[in-house]
Amino acid sequence: MATTAVLVPALAAVAPAQPTAATSAPVPRDDSATSGQALTVESISPRTVGEKSTVKVTGRVTNTTDDELSSATIRLRYSRYPFSDRSQLGSYASGDGAQPQVSGPKTELGKSLKPGQSATYSLKIKAEDMRLGDFGVYPLAVDLADASGRTKDTRYTFLPYQGGSSPDPVDIAWLWPLMDDPQRADDDTFLSDGLSTSLGSNGRLGRLLVAGAQSDDIALEPSPPPSTAPRPTPDIEATAKATTEEKAEDGDDNGGKKGADAGRVPITWAVDPALLGDIARMSGDTYQVLQPTGKPTVPAEDAAPTTLSRDPSPTAQQWLRQARTGLDGAPIITVPYANADIAALLRQDLRKDAEAAVSLGGETVKNVLGTDADTTVAWPADGLMNSATRDFLSERGSTRFILSDAALPSRSTRGGTATAQAALPVGGDEPDATALVVDSELSNALAQPSRSAGDAALASQRFAAETAMIAAEGGTDRTVVAAPPRDWNPGADFAADVLRSSEKLPWLDPVALGDIEADATDTAQRGQLTYPTKGARSELSGTYLEQVDEVRKDIRLFNTILTDDSDPFRPAILRLESAAWRDDKTMAAQARALVARAVTLSREDVHIIPGETVTLASKTGKIGVLVANDLDKETVTVNLSIYSENNERLSVGKYKKEMTLRPGRKTTVYVPLSARINGRTVLNLSLQNADGEPISEEVPLPVNATGLGTQALLISAVGALILVIALAPRALRRWARKRAGRAGRAGRAGRSPDAESAGAAGEADGAGDRAAGEGADAGDGTDGGPGGDGDDAPGSMQHNGRGSPSEGGRPDGSAGSGTATTGDRASDQS
């Protein structure tokens, strides 16, 4: 009766390690409990002990001390009284139950063992010598004792004894999980490298796929080095078809079964669509992995995370190829996408998210595996649901529900195991649904360590003991649903062994989950639908979902500019709403911060490219505004908003505000401007959605108006006119002087050729209009005296112009002409 005490720490060892801040998702772990054990049990045969059987136990002894181990003895103990109740199995396995008192065979080590050395042992005993009673499960223990007879180590296990007859077999239906916690924050950023390792031949998901497929054609080769391309994969479909045809021709001895399903135990695959999406993303393109930091931390939303770039994973590609073959045609059920916490979403009025999780789940399975999932079967988180969850899933087409036995407890007062199926009222005029209740004790037994040879043998015995105890309870025909934990991490040998045992053990009869139906008599064994308090308390909190809602608001704003009503961040939000985060609030907060940052960066990818300061060289003009869509996949429609900080100084004219940009495209919008006053003004540019909500930060664009334009030209023209008016009198006077000089020369031409000649010479020697006049006046002197020099100073001309006869005054008394001339000159000089 000591199984439970051993099992509890064993279960703790096998339970999936919670992700650290650096990994953010479950990583492959070594859940073997044999490390450092002095005694292991590696096989117990036969699996079903009859009256004529010989029980054989083999294993290994290891010296785990620092001293030499000598004279060690291995001995067998058992009890002649079987367990009377299933609850005793767990207690005995832990070492807390009643100890078996009957001594069996023993053997001594043939040699001493130095520290770290090991040796094998083998113990045998005939069943008839054990004098066991009827069919049942009997305690069995293996001890390691030192030379003084003191027990150093003990392994507790079970001996199912068939005796002369067996009870009626119990139907067993398998639910085989391919699930994991969310592996990504946004679609391109993985929280760790753990998934790639898990998909390998020695990884958790790799072992589950191969063992569940139960086919030699489904195998995973060791992952190639990162720099090496994956080795070619044979045509799996052709190989499977050929193998199927051969088996169909030959048949087998497996109860008359023929064909590809011969020898296979029917299982139903339980798949998380988000995991399939993660694997497909990893296999298709380059992706980013969050760099480990050692301690769980929540990054600031504006802080850039440190990520490592990864090439497409050959391991993921290989796993997908084999999964598409191995699951083709097999029954598949799904949980909501990312195992969304439906109960919490409905409680927080997030029904649309709950609907999206269910619909996206089926779509993802179809897209990745190329096959349809059975949408009539629902498996709520932890196998628990309240009436609101039941009604919601029923409305979505679910007619069968995988539930925990805590949700539909047994009504039996004797402690027996109730059958798995039960009628489940759904309310209204709808027919009752069917509840398929998972046996929690069997799930716990499957979860114990099984990665090493020693652990696998004990785990297999525990499975045989649990199912034998159910059969020994007798009663009406019953069905048990075997559903390992969603993060089940069994050893490859153990996973394959429990499926074989389902067919080989005489007290079990494997059936398909889809063949289980409830009838009217089933309601007597199960109570009403119950939602335990621990179920409500474990839901995602309202505070956390409000924080997720803040991210959703930013996503809603981003979605308003996308065409075709696309919602690229919907899967990321559903991953944030996963029930997996119930027990890991730090990882949930980290994933939420990463998604929030990804949304911000995506919105910033639709932006205005800033320009340099614009100089407006006229009263009106146009500027070009460059708008870019740097998104990789999404087409956007945005509106350009421009306003001037000073409309009196600079105003914006009409321009094309709405534009549609395909991924990676840019466009230029030409905007007319009008300047009323010279100077600097700032235009503020931003992008908005159709409702006028800003989707980008404002970009300032300085504009300098220089004042050149119609107004400036008018001012220049007025200035030129003033200049012309000011210079016109002077030009007219010059013209008058020239004309007067010509007239004087013409009048003197008939009286004195010499004088005309002298005047002509004086005019030729003068520089400009003034010199010409002076030469003409000086030529009036009869002797050509001082007045005849055309270069003479104006003072000479003023002196001669007074008309003195002695200085060559004109005989006709025309000295007044010289005065006018002098006066004109004086006026010009003034």
Side-chain angles (χ1 to χ4, degrees):
M1 298 184 178
T3 292
T4 296
V6 162
L7 181 59
V8 171
L11 290 177
V14 76
Q18 293 299 325
T20 63
T23 59
S24 77
V27 295
R29 62 216 179 263
D30 184 3
D31 60 355
S32 173
T34 60
S35 178
Q37 290 183 350
L39 177 66
T40 60
V41 176
E42 297 182 351
S43 70
I44 301 174
S45 62
R47 182 62 54 83
T48 303
V49 178
E51 293 177 335
K52 303 300 181 179
S53 301
T54 298
V55 179
K56 181 178 181 181
V57 179
T58 64
R60 183 174 295 274
V61 175
T62 303
N63 183 3
T64 59
T65 69
D66 295 331
D67 300 321
E68 188 176 70
L69 177 63
S70 60
S71 302
T73 301
I74 301 92
R75 61 195 181 195
L76 191 67
R77 290 184 291 122
Y78 62 94
S79 175
R80 294 193 176 101
Y81 301 96
F83 294 103
S84 59
D85 190 87
R86 284 184 68 191
S87 63
Q88 296 173 344
L89 299 183
S91 176
Y92 173 73
S94 66
D96 292 339
Q99 295 290 315
Q101 299 298 321
V102 181
S103 297
K106 61 181 179 180
T107 184
E108 295 185 357
L109 293 179
K111 61 178 182 179
S112 298
L113 297 178
K114 295 181 180 180
Q117 285 186 331
S118 63
T120 60
Y121 68 86
S122 178
L123 299 171
K124 293 182 181 181
I125 183 173
K126 292 182 178 181
E128 59 185 3
D129 293 337
M130 299 177 73
R131 293 184 294 172
L132 303 177
D134 297 328
F135 177 88
V137 178
Y138 293 81
L140 187 69
V142 182
D143 296 329
L144 172 64
D146 59 16
S148 63
R150 183 175 56 183
T151 301
K152 305 293 292 183
D153 201 0
T154 301
R155 291 289 164 264
Y156 298 95
T157 185
F158 310 93
L159 188 67
Y161 180 64
Q162 185 176 2
S165 62
S166 296
D168 293 335
V170 174
D171 292 341
I172 183 170
W174 279 96
L175 201 58
W176 204 260
L178 287 179
M179 300 185 182
D180 210 332
D181 290 347
Q183 300 294 308
R184 288 180 289 172
D186 60 275
D187 285 354
D188 296 326
T189 306
F190 282 76
L191 299 172
S192 79
D193 271 324
L195 179 57
S196 181
T197 304
S198 182
L199 297 173
S201 57
N202 294 322
R204 184 178 74 86
L205 293 171
R207 296 193 303 271
L208 287 175
L209 175 62
V210 173
Q214 304 173 74
S215 171
D216 293 337
D217 296 327
I218 304 300
L220 298 176
E221 297 295 331
S223 301
S227 58
T228 304
R231 62 181 62 181
T233 302
D235 189 341
I236 299 297
E237 295 182 359
T239 304
K241 182 178 180 181
T243 304
T244 299
E245 293 174 351
E246 291 175 2
K247 291 183 178 180
E249 294 175 357
D250 297 340
D252 61 16
D253 57 356
N254 184 35
K257 297 179 182 178
K258 296 182 179 181
D261 292 332
R264 295 186 187 180
V265 173
I267 67 171
T268 295
W269 298 89
V271 176
D272 185 343
L275 175 63
L276 296 180
D278 294 338
I279 298 172
R281 174 66 185 86
M282 181 182 294
S283 67
D285 201 355
T286 302
Y287 60 94
Q288 303 297 313
V289 175
L290 194 64
Q291 185 175 23
T293 57
K295 183 179 179 181
T297 57
V298 180
E301 293 185 2
D302 58 347
T306 303
T307 59
L308 305 173
S309 182
R310 294 285 188 264
D311 292 331
S313 170
T315 303
Q317 295 168 356
Q318 180 182 218
W319 192 94
L320 276 182
R321 286 194 297 269
Q322 301 290 43
R324 288 165 180 155
T325 301
L327 275 65
D328 184 28
I332 302 173
I333 69 168
T334 70
V335 296
Y337 188 90
N339 195 22
D341 196 336
I342 300 296
L345 297 180
L346 296 178
R347 190 184 300 276
Q348 297 298 320
D349 296 327
L350 296 173
R351 186 180 182 88
K352 289 185 177 180
D353 283 7
E355 293 174 349
V358 174
S359 59
L360 183 59
E363 294 171 6
T364 304
V365 172
K366 178 66 174 178
N367 292 337
V368 177
L369 295 181
T371 187
D372 292 316
D374 185 356
T375 58
T376 65
V377 182
W379 192 3
D382 295 334
L384 302 174
M385 68 178 182
N386 52 22
S387 58
T389 304
R390 176 201 60 196
D391 295 342
F392 169 80
L393 294 174
S394 296
E395 293 169 3
R396 304 294 295 179
S398 298
T399 58
R400 289 181 292 167
F401 297 85
I402 309 297
L403 299 177
S404 165
D405 46 17
L408 281 180
S410 173
R411 284 180 173 176
S412 174
T413 58
R414 297 177 299 172
T417 303
T419 189
Q421 67 269 33
L424 182 67
V426 295
D429 298 331
E430 297 294 328
D432 289 348
T434 300
L436 302 175
V437 182
V438 175
D439 190 286
S440 59
E441 292 184 29
L442 187 57
S443 296
N444 292 337
L446 291 169
Q448 62 186 312
S450 60
R451 296 277 298 280
S452 71
D455 286 338
L458 296 179
S460 294
Q461 287 299 114
R462 175 69 185 276
F463 172 78
E466 289 282 354
T467 55
M469 288 294 296
I470 296 173
E473 293 170 351
T476 59
D477 293 340
R478 288 170 301 160
T479 301
V480 61
V481 173
R486 300 189 188 202
D487 54 3
W488 192 30
N489 190 15
D493 292 340
F494 174 68
D497 182 74
V498 292
L499 291 179
R500 288 194 301 267
S501 297
S502 299
E503 189 173 36
K504 299 298 183 183
L505 294 176
W507 54 84
L508 289 178
D509 187 10
V511 297
L513 190 76
D515 294 338
I516 303 175
E517 297 292 343
D519 56 41
T521 62
D522 294 333
T523 58
Q525 298 190 42
R526 296 282 178 182
Q528 296 181 344
L529 180 65
T530 302
Y531 193 53
T533 303
K534 68 175 183 178
R537 290 178 177 175
S538 66
E539 292 176 9
L540 295 176
S541 68
T543 300
Y544 172 75
L545 291 177
E546 287 175 1
Q547 294 171 343
V548 174
D549 192 53
E550 292 299 319
V551 181
R552 187 186 292 102
K553 291 178 181 178
D554 291 340
I555 293 175
R556 183 203 63 80
L557 181 62
F558 174 68
N559 288 347
T560 59
I561 65 173
L562 303 182
T563 59
D564 301 327
D565 296 326
S566 61
D567 190 1
F569 284 99
R570 170 62 68 184
I573 286 293
L574 296 178
R575 287 192 289 268
L576 293 181
E577 295 169 341
S578 171
W581 305 133
R582 288 176 170 183
D583 301 323
D584 197 345
K585 295 179 175 58
T586 300
M587 246 351 284
Q590 186 178 40
R592 179 178 55 81
L594 291 172
V595 173
R597 175 174 173 78
V599 175
T600 300
L601 293 178
S602 294
R603 197 172 69 244
E604 291 176 351
D605 279 343
V606 183
H607 60 103
I608 297 170
I609 299 179
E612 298 180 353
T613 301
V614 174
T615 299
L616 194 63
S618 63
K619 180 180 179 181
T620 61
K622 287 186 177 181
I623 61 171
V625 178
L626 189 59
V627 181
N629 175 16
D630 293 335
L631 296 173
D632 294 331
K633 300 177 182 179
E634 303 296 334
T635 300
V636 301
T637 298
V638 294
N639 288 271
L640 176 62
S641 172
I642 304 176
Y643 73 90
S644 172
E645 289 187 351
N646 190 337
N647 281 323
E648 297 299 325
R649 182 187 297 270
L650 182 68
S651 61
V652 180
K654 293 184 179 180
Y655 59 94
K656 183 180 179 182
K657 295 184 177 181
E658 184 177 282
M659 66 203 77
T660 298
L661 297 174
R662 287 181 293 174
R665 296 300 182 89
K666 299 179 179 66
T667 188
T668 301
V669 179
Y670 293 96
V671 182
L673 301 177
S674 296
R676 295 184 178 89
I677 303 174
N678 294 347
R680 177 187 173 93
T681 306
V682 176
L683 297 178
N684 291 290
L685 290 65
S686 66
L687 298 178
Q688 299 177 350
N689 61 15
D691 296 327
E693 297 175 290
I695 58 99
S696 71
E697 297 292 335
E698 287 188 345
V699 176
L701 179 63
V703 177
N704 288 328
T706 61
L708 295 178
T710 303
Q711 183 178 4
L713 291 175
L714 179 60
I715 294 174
S716 300
V718 171
L721 180 60
I722 294 173
L723 181 61
V724 170
I725 294 173
L727 296 178
R730 182 175 180 179
L732 290 173
R733 285 194 296 271
R734 287 182 179 178
W735 175 77
R737 287 195 301 270
K738 289 181 180 181
R739 186 173 182 180
R742 294 191 191 99
R745 287 193 298 271
R748 292 190 296 269
R751 291 186 291 108
S752 176
D754 295 338
E756 182 178 355
S757 175
E763 183 176 357
D765 293 337
D769 294 338
R770 183 183 298 178
E774 290 171 353
D777 291 341
D780 291 344
T782 55
D783 295 333
D789 186 357
D791 291 331
D792 206 0
S796 299
M797 296 178 66
Q798 291 174 359
H799 172 74
N800 294 334
R802 292 189 184 101
S804 172
S806 61
E807 296 295 326
R810 293 179 181 177
D812 57 358
S814 60
S817 174
T819 303
T821 302
T822 302
D824 289 342
R825 286 201 187 106
S827 175
D828 287 347
Q829 291 176 353
S830 173

